[in-house]
Amino acid sequence: MAKDTPYQVLVRDLPVHRTFDVPPERVGEWLKGMPMRDALGAPDPDPQAGHGVADLDLYADGAHAFAAGTFRGELTVACSRCVNPVTLTIDEKLRVTFLPRHELPDDDAEDGRVDDADEDEGVVVNEEDIDVFPFDGERVDLEPLLREQFVLAVPFAPLCAETCKGLCPQCGIDRNTASCSCEPPIDPRLAALKGLKIPSGTGT
Ligand SMILES: [Zn+2]
Ligand SMILES: [Zn+2]
């Protein structure tokens, strides 16, 4: 069932200290389909997609496994105004618990609460504090964790700069580096008025 990825560690090898490199090809693959990645029109694979390094201590305790350490990396997405590349940096402390699937909080519970029936099983999962990933008991698969670092690093509307002027909605020119003489579109209701002569009572 578990597919082989370079991000798996066998439980029988724990405890262990490992570093994991995430190359640009992998970052590009993981972020494929995100609007702010696709908007770049980057080549595939994209050597500039980003990269990362996880530096982790992994250990096991009975049916659970744990990872603690750091993740550092960067990734490139499009500015939501001008579509130029924006490099985002990631510098996170990781503290993750791997639980057998039957102990995981029910994903279907919309409010994130664990069913009452699960409360006595001895695992208190406070989703605010720790990340929890599924675990088959034999190998710890870090790929979902590493992937999440990149996905969560992308803000809703990335900006190359707070002051980014964006693209002209008429001609598409990048207003940060060029200017155009496009007039803002006129509200059709006002356009109708523009043709009217406004009677002037001031005697001109
Ligand atoms: Zn921009
Ligand atoms: Zn323009």
Side-chain angles (χ1 to χ4, degrees):
M1 171 190 112
K3 61 180 172 13
D4 260 349
T5 79
Y7 308 115
Q8 294 182 352
V9 181
L10 293 175
V11 168
R12 64 163 184 260
D13 293 337
L14 302 182
V16 70
H17 179 96
R18 292 274 304 268
T19 59
F20 299 90
D21 281 301
V22 183
E25 310 87 74
R26 193 65 69 137
V27 177
E29 184 187 314
W30 285 346
L31 297 179
K32 201 171 280 178
M34 288 187 88
M36 287 305 141
R37 267 298 298 174
D38 290 351
L40 280 178
D44 184 16
D46 174 12
Q48 310 296 327
H51 59 86
V53 180
D55 189 34
L56 298 172
D57 283 308
L58 296 140
Y59 50 102
D61 171 16
H64 307 145
F66 305 91
T70 57
F71 183 83
R72 292 197 177 86
E74 59 180 44
L75 67 157
T76 307
V77 296
C79 171
S80 58
R81 289 187 198 153
C82 70
V83 206
N84 284 314
V86 182
T87 299
L88 305 168
T89 56
I90 308 169
D91 187 355
E92 291 287 333
K93 279 199 169 27
L94 299 182
R95 187 162 288 274
V96 182
T97 302
F98 295 87
L99 298 179
R101 283 186 191 277
H102 68 268
E103 289 184 26
L104 281 174
D106 190 353
D107 280 343
D108 297 334
E110 289 276 301
D111 58 3
R113 284 176 55 103
V114 179
D115 290 346
D116 288 352
D118 294 333
E119 271 177 14
D120 295 330
E121 289 188 15
V123 179
V124 179
V125 177
N126 184 341
E127 290 173 85
E128 307 271 327
D129 295 342
I130 47 169
D131 268 330
V132 177
F133 288 87
F135 172 48
D136 69 3
E138 276 177 39
R139 56 179 83 197
V140 178
D141 184 7
L142 297 159
E143 179 165 327
L145 167 67
L146 300 179
R147 181 190 181 121
E148 188 184 86
Q149 301 311 306
F150 289 98
V151 173
L152 294 181
V154 182
F156 175 68
L159 289 178
C160 63
E162 285 298 325
T163 54
C164 175
K165 300 191 186 92
L167 304 178
C168 169
Q170 272 82 50
C171 69
I173 208 169
D174 183 350
R175 287 166 161 172
N176 297 301
T177 54
S179 57
C180 58
S181 50
C182 298
E183 300 278 346
I186 296 167
D187 186 314
R189 288 162 300 178
L190 293 178
L193 288 176
K194 227 186 170 183
L196 292 178
K197 264 202 139 146
I198 314 270
S200 161
T202 59
T204 48

